[in-house]
Amino acid sequence: MSGPLVVLVGPMGVGKSTVGQLLAERLGVSYRDTDDDIVAEQGRTIADIFVDEGEPAFRTIEKAAVHRALAQHDGILALGGGAILDADTRALLAGQRVAYLSMDVEEAVKRTGLNAARPLLAVNPRKQWRELMEARRYLYEEVATVVVATDGRTPEEVTEVALDALELKEA
């Protein structure tokens, strides 16, 4: 299998970055986050891209970043929460080892406070988060090899469950 060892998908605030770094450490591989790639490449925050250019422009930038990372990276790769909205990206994820980190709205509130730094959650964040998840949950499930619930678990516990579910051995 070419591409990343594991691709992490899931909603904003679920812990993809934290769990991704822990997985990389435990497996002795490198970690990469496409959101970090976008910020480095664009020289501005994702929120600024949304405000300045709108979501469609951001999704175009994101798609290119994700496709590059899938082709270049062989460690743990975390994708932004909305990366799975793109059909071409979902097609590229077929055949990859993909872990969908899931959480319910109450956990999302606890973890992120559903704050204004999340451009898609600026107004009525709890309602918007539910609507986002209703629109995206089936897409996360479509691309997932395994689903790992993160509710009430520490990042270390999520990492352990993901390793077991993916049947990966530590380095």
Side-chain angles (χ1 to χ4, degrees):
M1 176 168 62
S2 66
L5 180 60
V6 177
V7 179
L8 298 176
V9 300
M12 58 191 91
V14 76
K16 296 181 298 284
S17 298
T18 302
V19 170
Q21 290 168 5
L22 287 169
L23 278 171
E25 221 172 81
R26 301 267 300 266
L27 294 167
V29 297
S30 60
Y31 169 76
R32 183 169 174 176
D33 184 318
T34 58
D35 282 352
D36 293 343
D37 291 353
I38 292 166
V39 170
E41 175 190 297
Q42 296 291 314
R44 55 196 167 139
T45 67
I46 289 171
D48 285 345
I49 298 168
F50 265 82
V51 169
D52 296 344
E53 298 181 41
E55 185 176 359
F58 171 75
R59 295 295 173 208
T60 299
I61 294 165
E62 179 179 55
K63 177 179 179 175
V66 168
H67 290 216
R68 263 193 315 278
L70 286 168
Q72 297 169 352
H73 190 67
D74 61 1
I76 307 300
L77 179 64
L79 304 186
I84 47 77
L85 294 171
D86 181 73
D88 294 336
T89 297
R90 291 194 308 277
L92 284 177
L93 291 173
Q96 296 288 330
R97 188 182 285 124
V98 180
Y100 162 32
L101 303 184
S102 70
M103 69 178 168
D104 68 19
V105 70
E106 299 312 317
E107 189 78 8
V109 170
K110 274 192 275 186
R111 289 187 192 193
T112 67
L114 296 179
N115 62 41
R118 309 282 186 177
L120 291 178
L121 301 177
V123 180
N124 195 345
R126 195 178 286 250
K127 177 177 181 265
Q128 287 181 295
W129 194 89
R130 277 196 180 97
E131 288 172 0
L132 274 177
M133 283 309 297
E134 284 169 21
R136 295 178 180 181
R137 183 174 288 109
Y138 79 97
L139 297 173
Y140 291 133
E141 291 170 351
E142 175 187 315
V143 300
T145 310
V146 299
V147 178
V148 179
T150 65
D151 305 85
R153 289 180 166 152
T154 65
E156 292 75 14
E157 289 168 334
V158 172
T159 300
E160 196 61 45
V161 171
L163 285 168
D164 289 347
L166 293 163
E167 299 178 349
L168 292 170
K169 302 291 179 225
E170 293 181 55

